Amino acid sequence: MVHKIEPAAEPPVTLTSPYELLTGYLDFYRDAALRKVQGMSDEDLRNSRVPTGWAPLGLLKHLACVEQRWLQWGFIGEDVANPWGEFQERPGPWHIDSGESFEDVKKFFQEQCARSRAIVAAARLEDQAATLGGRVPAEEDRPTLIWILFHLLQEYARHVGHLDIARELADGAVGE
């Protein structure tokens, strides 16, 4: 049986500020990712329905790590203990430890999103990344914040689509 997950409102259609548009849509997709996994059984969160082997809870953890990698580790150059924490081996499906609960991963995701919002609020769109992957590249190879935000936006849009399919296959819930 198919049932609908009600979507949140998109940012206003009258926005003209690139900053407000990018941050508004990032928050829209962050919320969408959580809405897609909210209410799934633990079994459905941990089991894959696709040949590559990723599971919805692993994808949520991946999105949290992507936030951490791009904005904390890459943009402001913070030391991050395990920037690739969603992988046991790379490449490979996103990994969830057996002791990690949905609430653990959700909390980690929300913490990374909050930290990202603070980093973005303290910077300008034209600012360049301090490092990239823990190294300091030449200035011309450092992405700008606007580039990073756009990259994150496309990453979210793609993965929320994946979650749409996983959720529909799991329990028939469909979204926007």
Side-chain angles (χ1 to χ4, degrees):
M1 183 170 120
V2 173
H3 62 281
K4 186 155 177 69
I5 299 171
E6 289 303 316
E10 289 184 58
V13 298
T14 55
L15 283 179
T16 58
S17 161
Y19 175 87
E20 290 179 21
L21 193 60
L22 283 169
T23 58
Y25 266 104
L26 272 171
D27 280 339
F28 172 80
Y29 280 111
R30 287 167 176 147
D31 180 64
L34 281 176
R35 283 185 289 105
K36 301 295 176 187
V37 296
Q38 196 73 42
M40 291 180 81
S41 71
D42 190 62
E43 181 180 352
D44 285 333
L45 284 167
R46 292 177 180 280
N47 290 318
S48 178
R49 295 183 177 271
V50 295
T52 53
W54 66 266
L57 192 56
L59 194 153
L60 187 65
K61 184 176 178 180
H62 167 67
L63 289 171
C65 290
V66 164
E67 295 260 359
Q68 186 180 58
R69 270 194 300 274
W70 276 104
L71 291 164
Q72 293 173 47
W73 192 47
F75 185 69
I76 63 170
E78 282 183 358
D79 189 27
V80 172
N82 189 7
W84 301 98
E86 76 272 39
F87 294 105
Q88 276 190 316
E89 58 187 60
R90 288 183 56 215
W94 301 304
H95 174 75
I96 296 294
D97 291 327
S98 60
E100 286 181 287
S101 70
F102 169 70
E103 289 304 319
D104 295 334
V105 174
K106 178 181 172 183
K107 180 180 178 197
F108 177 63
F109 175 79
Q110 290 172 322
E111 289 169 350
Q112 301 321 303
C113 292
R115 181 73 176 111
S116 292
R117 283 185 200 98
I119 290 167
V120 170
R124 298 170 305 140
L125 292 177
E126 60 272 15
D127 290 347
Q128 288 183 288
T131 70
L132 194 57
R135 60 183 173 77
V136 181
E139 190 168 323
E140 65 270 12
D141 294 330
R142 296 180 195 185
T144 59
L145 180 58
I146 194 169
W147 188 95
I148 291 169
L149 294 176
F150 196 83
H151 177 79
L152 289 174
L153 184 59
Q154 69 79 26
E155 180 111 6
Y156 269 98
R158 183 166 30 103
H159 287 321
V160 167
H162 293 139
L163 288 172
D164 276 336
I165 294 165
R167 183 68 190 259
E168 185 173 353
L169 289 170
D171 65 7
V174 296
E176 60 275 4

